[in-house]
Amino acid sequence: MHQHHGGFDFWSVISPGALILTILLGVLYFTLIGPWRRKWGYDESPSIWKQRGFVFALAVFYFASGPVSTFSHDSFSAHMMEMALVYMVVPPLILLGLPSWVYRPLWSTPRRAKVFRVLTFPLVTLICFNGFFSLYHLPVVFDAIMSSSILMAASHGFMGFAAFMMWWPITCPVPEKDTLNPVMKLGYIIGDSILITPACALIVFSDVLLYQSFQEAPVAFSFMSALDDQQMGAVVMKAIQEIAYGCVLGYTFYHWVKEHKRMEREEAETIRPRGEKGETPSTMAY
């Protein structure tokens, strides 16, 4: 069965293992975009904002897999917060934070390109992530996963992979592979938001404890009953999801407007020299 914590001490909350992993990932990232980039002859480097976003993603990852994870053994809302942060906040920032040359080897061979094209096809990514998320939160499946460390590691590994694939069509960090325009991305985000809603609604409106794994857990937060904690978990998941989608949508439209203005400026610059000569369409026609 799922093991609960009897109490929380300083080191269990700090989670040294998660902290060390996060630091190592940060060192690897700046080595990749610094010395290794120059060694391998790549010019492209992420903007300072993308670098800050990557660092923020690592901070969120540590917060979720360290301190929050400590409480997630006894609190369903903490468990859902951990999942929401790891699957809704971290992937888009990681994808955008890495330079595009990191991803281009995925298309280095026709077979590899075909596989990756299928894995990132919008309909496939929506069904895989949201379908597994809903399946994961069925009480019988959830309790089975929580009772086995092997099943838990496998399920979270698969869901993490599915989350990155789900975010790819929206945040696609390789410009020539970005096949969705802003309107299509809006539809994708709306579809994603709708597909995840049934699982959250099932938990929010349930008037009984759904998961055996948390029925015998010690009270992690004295100000909430176990049922309130369960309902709060779904609210937390949905709220973080909507905030993440809103931020990515804003980022997408910001760059769309920026690119649109750049194209208008270039078009105006190509027309201006002809206008400066005083020529009119009627005289030019002759």
Side-chain angles (χ1 to χ4, degrees):
M1 290 297 291
H2 181 51
Q3 295 182 354
H4 302 285
H5 289 294
F8 304 99
D9 57 39
F10 175 79
W11 288 111
S12 66
V13 175
I14 292 298
S15 304
L19 180 59
I20 292 172
L21 175 61
T22 303
I23 293 173
L24 289 176
L25 289 174
V27 171
L28 178 62
Y29 173 69
F30 284 105
T31 303
L32 177 68
I33 67 172
W36 288 355
R37 174 180 63 85
R38 291 187 289 270
K39 179 181 178 181
W40 296 334
Y42 292 107
D43 295 327
E44 179 192 354
S45 180
S47 68
I48 187 63
W49 287 106
K50 289 185 177 182
Q51 293 180 37
R52 289 173 180 174
F54 192 96
V55 172
F56 180 70
L58 292 182
V60 172
F61 171 76
Y62 164 69
F63 177 69
S65 59
V68 175
S69 181
T70 302
F71 293 96
S72 70
H73 296 281
D74 300 322
S75 167
F76 183 75
S77 60
H79 176 81
M80 293 295 276
M81 176 179 287
E82 178 187 358
M83 293 186 67
L85 293 174
V86 171
Y87 302 139
M88 299 296 176
V89 178
V90 173
L93 294 174
I94 294 291
L95 288 172
L96 290 171
L98 289 170
S100 60
W101 52 263
V102 172
Y103 303 103
R104 288 198 170 94
L106 295 170
W107 290 273
S108 59
T109 65
R111 178 178 296 180
R112 192 178 296 177
K114 183 177 180 180
V115 170
F116 195 72
R117 190 161 53 247
V118 172
L119 290 176
T120 58
F121 187 72
L123 186 59
V124 173
T125 60
L126 286 178
I127 292 175
C128 282
F129 178 78
N130 291 289
F132 189 77
F133 179 87
S134 298
L135 179 65
Y136 176 93
H137 286 96
L138 291 176
V140 62
V141 176
F142 185 91
D143 288 330
I145 291 174
M146 297 296 275
S147 65
S148 169
S149 57
I150 295 176
L151 286 177
M152 186 180 298
S155 62
H156 284 284
F158 179 82
M159 194 177 296
F161 176 79
F164 274 91
M165 294 301 95
M166 181 269 290
W167 279 105
W168 180 275
I170 315 174
T171 61
C172 184
V174 184
E176 64 270 22
K177 301 299 180 181
D178 191 1
T179 58
L180 299 185
N181 61 44
V183 176
M184 295 169 69
K185 290 181 179 181
L186 174 60
Y188 182 94
I189 289 175
I190 292 174
D192 210 350
S193 180
I194 291 174
L195 288 173
I196 206 173
T197 298
C200 294
L202 172 68
I203 301 170
V204 168
F205 295 110
S206 175
D207 56 0
V208 296
L209 292 175
L210 296 173
Y211 306 110
Q212 183 70 31
S213 303
F214 290 98
Q215 288 181 4
E216 299 176 359
V219 178
F221 305 111
S222 58
F223 55 87
M224 282 195 299
S225 67
L227 183 59
D228 290 337
D229 180 60
Q230 177 178 280
Q231 294 171 339
M232 179 59 69
V235 173
V236 167
M237 167 60 78
K238 190 64 178 173
I240 292 177
Q241 181 214 34
E242 295 299 335
I243 293 172
Y245 284 165
C247 291
V248 171
L249 190 61
Y251 172 87
T252 300
F253 272 91
Y254 167 76
H255 282 274
W256 177 71
V257 171
K258 185 177 179 181
E259 179 67 14
H260 184 69
K261 289 183 178 179
R262 184 190 65 80
M263 292 176 63
E264 287 184 338
R265 191 162 54 249
E266 289 180 353
E267 184 179 351
E269 289 175 354
T270 58
I271 296 175
R272 188 177 299 117
R274 298 172 65 182
E276 289 175 352
K277 296 177 182 180
E279 296 172 332
T280 63
S282 57
T283 57
M284 291 170 61
Y286 297 98

